[in-house]
Amino acid sequence: MDYTASRLDKCFAGLKAENRPGLGIFITAGDPDPETSLALLKALPGAGADMIEFGMPFSDPMADGPAIQASSQRALKAGASLAKTIDLVRKFREEDQTTPVVLMGYYNPIYIYGVEKFLTDAISAGADGLIVVDLPPEEDDELCVPAVKRGLPFVRLATPTTNDARLPKVLTNTSGFLYYVSITGITGTADAPVDLVRAAVGRLRGHTDLPIAVGFGIKTREHAAAIGSVADACIVGTAAVNAIAGTLDADGKATEGTVGALTDLVSELAKGVREARG
């Protein structure tokens, strides 16, 4: 099965027509439990998320800060797996055929699952792209090229240390959008520096026509408005995961306030991206 939905392309075309940046929200699949995770996933578009990054829980991440690591640990403790992550996407698609869902994570679980089976199942379930942060361009034959051959977007990350000599390699086989990591470090450890992001996005636009989304360090409505003024989309992960974590009981279980805490945050962030260009 090949990917044909093009939901990311349609999303960014719609945002361009509205002359506003998009809002991407990261949550971890299965956090804090499968039922609540599905409820959170379903609630995001209505709260203002234009696209969703759905984290594939992994026990040994390299880019995630403590908050997202903790969300993966909660999910794994509650029985999360790659197969169950894909099943949550499938259940989300029963009600939403529009909002892009990009699977984000690490290669080890995909390798164990089997690359071709993973691509078949992810496309069939309704996933719209992949971000696999520990596969550099030199390892494209492992997953990136097989995904691109099926038409499934493979989103790549550029960072403050990605120089002009490295960028063409990073952009090879990249599709959907380019994800710019606004800080040097792991998620959730610093605020996105707006002036530096503006300069970086301007430099990246000289190398690619892909939409540029900025993540790492965006936590508030004000951050979203500032970063959204220079980027095609803002991606928020740690703040979203913290909103969920802040509602859990002493045993890490969901409470009545869990879904509402996330949607309240997303609603504020959505106001920010809509204010970004006046």
Side-chain angles (χ1 to χ4, degrees), residues 11-21 50 274 277:
C11 176
F12 280 107
L15 293 168
K16 186 175 182 179
E18 292 182 41
N19 188 33
R20 70 169 177 89
D50 297 295
R274 284 163 175 77
R277 297 174 190 169

Side-chain angles (χ1 to χ4, degrees), residues 20-68:
R20 70 169 177 89
L23 176 64
I25 298 294
F26 172 97
I27 59 172
T28 298
D31 175 35
D33 61 75
E35 294 76 19
T36 305
S37 185
L38 181 60
L40 294 165
L41 191 61
K42 289 181 175 180
L44 287 173
D50 297 295
M51 61 179 177
I52 297 166
E53 285 189 40
F54 207 35
M56 298 178 281
F58 183 50
S59 60
D60 192 22
M62 59 186 287
D64 299 323
I68 294 179

Side-chain angles (χ1 to χ4, degrees), residues 113-155:
Y113 192 93
V115 167
E116 293 301 325
K117 177 174 169 53
F118 168 73
L119 291 173
T120 296
D121 291 353
I123 292 169
S124 173
D128 300 294
L130 303 176
I131 302 175
V132 181
V133 299
D134 55 350
L135 277 181
E138 287 75 9
E139 305 298 333
D140 271 0
D141 288 342
E142 292 284 337
L143 177 63
C144 176
V145 169
V148 171
K149 283 182 177 177
R150 294 197 186 200
L152 186 66
F154 196 92
V155 177

Side-chain angles (χ1 to χ4, degrees), residues 260-276:
L262 179 63
T263 55
D264 286 350
L265 171 68
V266 173
S267 295
E268 280 300 296
L269 295 166
K271 292 174 184 174
V273 297
R274 284 163 175 77
E275 295 165 351

